[in-house]
Amino acid sequence: MAQVLVIGSGGREQALAWKLVQSPSVDKVYVAPGNGGSKGSIENVAIAFDDTNGLLKFAQDNSIALTVVGQEAASEAGVVDAFKTAGLTIFGPTKAAVKIESSKAFSKDLMAAQNIPTAEYKNFSDAEAARAYAKSRPLPIVIKADGLATGKGVIIAASETEIDAAIDEIMVRKAFGAAGNRVVVEDFLKGREASLHALTDGQTSVIFPPSQDHKQIFDGDQGPNTGGMGVIAPVTWVSDEQLAYIKDKVVQPALGGLRKQGATFTGCLYPGLMIDGDEVKVLEFNARFGDPEAEVYMRLLDGDLYEIFKACAEGNLDPASVKWQPGFAVTVVLASGGYPGDYKKGLPISGIETAEKSDDVVVFHAGTAIKDGQLVTAGGRVLNVTATGASLEEALDKAYSAAKLINFDRVHYRTDIGRRPAA
Ligand code: AMP
Ligand code: GLY
């Protein structure tokens, strides 16, 4: 029986561990460093996601058969390269391949070189040149810090004053540090956003049913952006023709472009898309599963995730091994009051067991910890209440009924996940 190591501490990693441990070939999943949700055959190990040597030693000492990178920062820290050099099997992109997410300028140049549909743009390392170009384009215009900025480095400027303020913040005051040494200035796209996920061994890819995140903190898409407050899948307004187009014109060319540069990408490639009628354009590429998209996909996946990830890592992915259950899955995120701003930690959580007694409900932990034997809040996004159903409405009703049974002081969740008015 195989032992697996998952790297990360979010709801995404709990969901991946939950699915991996269901494989008949797996008897134990370790999560480094994990959170308060690990129990039974899922166990935490106190090693940070970027402690390359610590992770490598743990994997070698415990004969780990497969390591799965949840958090792209582990790839960025060189964990995948180190594991590969040591001859270990690991699912996730190398440091060279993860650049498709970690540098927006690199990503846009790759899209241009591969004719991948995306907004018109230019990259700048000079603030005055960036200002002049931004002011020469139609408003609003989008200004993005090149590097990782925890989702905050994208500014949509609606006037010349806002363009100046954005360039000052990113490039002059360096609000996001070195991530702002370069910027991408790109045209504004309108439409509806969808999340696509593709598993790949570098050559072959298989794309998942499309999903949709809800990024803003409040109902009606109001308030600041978060890591994601709820996801539904599949979204029915992305057509099969569009999915085929996304595979042929987005995913495969991106993988081909990376291969040409000697940066073969294995893992999960997740393009964020803007869809306007027939037109599909790429907003960005992520080099990992979305969180909370992973929580929803794990509820719908009908296949042996251990064998699937192993095949990706070993270069022999069989698309037929990735199957989906019929119906819909949703997640509603329970967050700490105040998130994405300041919030309290250490608040006792109750009601999860009762919530999980409901039909088709699984609660994946995100920002939780065990303190003196009590489950407490430990982050902004605390729990993912997931449910499946024959219809979207049924899945949503189950998730919301379960969410009501869970309590901690100042719990906040959106009440309109999956209930946006049709566009
Ligand atoms: P990104 O991290 O590049 O996906 O950007 C974060 C969010 O900013 C996206 O999810 C979109 O909501 C928005 N955004 C980014 N680029 C554009 C664009 N060119 N046009 C309109 N909205 C955008
Ligand atoms: N849910 C959005 C993300 O993971 O980037």
Side-chain angles (χ1 to χ4, degrees):
M1 292 288 272
Q3 310 220 336
V4 178
L5 172 64
V6 176
I7 303 173
S9 58
R12 166 180 53 206
E13 287 76 20
Q14 284 296 320
L16 297 176
W18 176 85
K19 189 70 191 175
L20 282 162
V21 89
Q22 291 172 31
S23 162
S25 313
V26 172
D27 64 351
K28 183 107 194 193
V29 178
Y30 294 100
V31 193
N35 60 36
S38 299
K39 56 175 193 260
S41 306
I42 302 175
E43 200 180 297
N44 290 343
V45 283
I47 308 174
F49 66 86
D50 58 353
D51 177 0
T52 305
N53 291 333
L55 292 165
L56 191 57
K57 182 166 187 324
F58 179 84
Q60 285 167 332
D61 290 351
N62 292 278
S63 306
I64 296 296
L66 171 72
T67 299
V68 175
V69 175
Q71 207 166 331
E72 77 287 354
S75 286
E76 184 78 9
V79 172
V80 175
D81 301 72
F83 272 58
K84 287 196 165 162
T85 304
L88 298 182
T89 306
I90 185 160
F91 170 91
T94 58
K95 206 171 169 170
V98 83
K99 256 182 113 177
I100 195 168
E101 170 166 6
S102 63
S103 166
K104 287 186 187 289
F106 172 88
S107 187
K108 290 293 288 191
D109 286 345
L110 182 87
M111 290 187 238
Q114 296 296 101
N115 275 320
I116 295 172
T118 188
E120 207 172 309
Y121 79 104
K122 272 200 170 114
N123 300 332
F124 295 94
S125 44
D126 177 73
E128 297 323 307
R131 266 185 236 280
Y133 175 75
K135 289 176 187 175
S136 76
R137 302 296 303 169
L139 291 171
I141 183 87
V142 186
I143 298 165
K144 302 182 173 185
D146 174 47
L148 295 172
T150 60
K152 293 180 187 149
V154 174
I155 298 173
I156 297 172
S159 65
E160 294 209 352
T161 316
E162 287 183 19
I163 291 173
D164 282 326
I167 301 282
D168 286 343
E169 183 179 3
I170 299 175
M171 298 191 87
V172 182
R173 288 204 310 278
K174 294 270 156 70
F176 312 105
N181 288 349
R182 277 205 291 177
V183 290
V184 175
V185 179
E186 77 174 17
D187 287 358
F188 180 82
L189 298 173
K190 58 183 181 43
R192 288 196 277 188
E193 286 189 59
S195 301
L196 254 294
H197 283 57
L199 285 185
T200 179
D201 59 9
Q203 191 94 35
T204 302
S205 69
V206 53
I207 83 171
F208 289 10
S211 63
Q212 190 178 41
D213 193 5
H214 297 63
K215 289 203 171 144
Q216 289 90 353
I217 185 74
F218 299 125
D219 283 10
D221 297 335
Q222 299 297 307
N225 269 354
T226 70
M229 292 299 293
V231 166
I232 58 168
V235 287
T236 46
W237 48 264
V238 182
S239 67
D240 288 348
E241 291 73 30
Q242 283 176 324
L243 286 178
Y245 174 87
I246 292 161
K247 177 159 179 177
D248 291 347
K249 301 289 181 205
V250 174
V251 173
Q252 287 299 132
L255 297 176
L258 288 168
R259 271 201 314 276
K260 267 193 245 165
Q261 304 192 19
T264 300
F265 185 103
T266 61
C268 179
L269 184 66
Y270 150 24
L273 303 172
M274 189 68 93
I275 301 182
D276 187 19
D278 288 342
E279 202 165 62
V280 176
K281 288 199 166 142
V282 177
L283 289 171
E284 63 167 346
F285 280 107
N286 298 298
R288 53 177 173 81
F289 278 91
D291 189 352
E293 284 87 342
E295 288 87 317
V296 169
Y297 285 129
M298 291 308 108
R299 295 299 315 278
L300 285 178
L301 182 68
D302 189 12
D304 184 330
L305 190 62
Y306 171 72
E307 298 298 343
I308 293 169
F309 280 173
K310 200 158 155 293
C312 288
E314 291 173 345
N316 51 22
L317 173 65
D318 172 10
S321 64
V322 181
K323 297 185 288 282
W324 300 98
Q325 292 162 24
F328 293 78
V330 305
T331 183
V332 175
V333 173
L334 308 192
S336 296
Y339 170 79
D342 293 338
Y343 53 84
K344 271 202 198 147
K345 291 183 188 175
L347 304 168
I349 303 169
S350 63
I352 295 179
E353 263 181 42
T354 319
E356 282 195 320
K357 285 201 183 105
S358 328
D359 262 358
D360 303 321
V361 169
V362 177
V363 180
F364 293 119
H365 290 228
T368 71
I370 311 276
K371 206 168 119 197
D372 306 325
Q374 163 73 49
L375 183 71
V376 296
T377 64
R381 293 189 293 171
V382 179
L383 295 166
N384 289 275
V385 181
T386 69
T388 52
S391 66
L392 179 60
E393 228 11 78
E394 187 190 326
L396 288 167
D397 284 345
K398 286 179 188 170
Y400 276 117
S401 303
K404 284 197 195 101
L405 301 170
I406 300 174
N407 203 26
F408 53 87
D409 193 28
R410 293 198 60 204
V411 56
H412 166 74
Y413 56 89
R414 280 181 62 157
T415 64
D416 66 343
I417 301 303
R419 290 169 173 161
R420 277 195 185 108

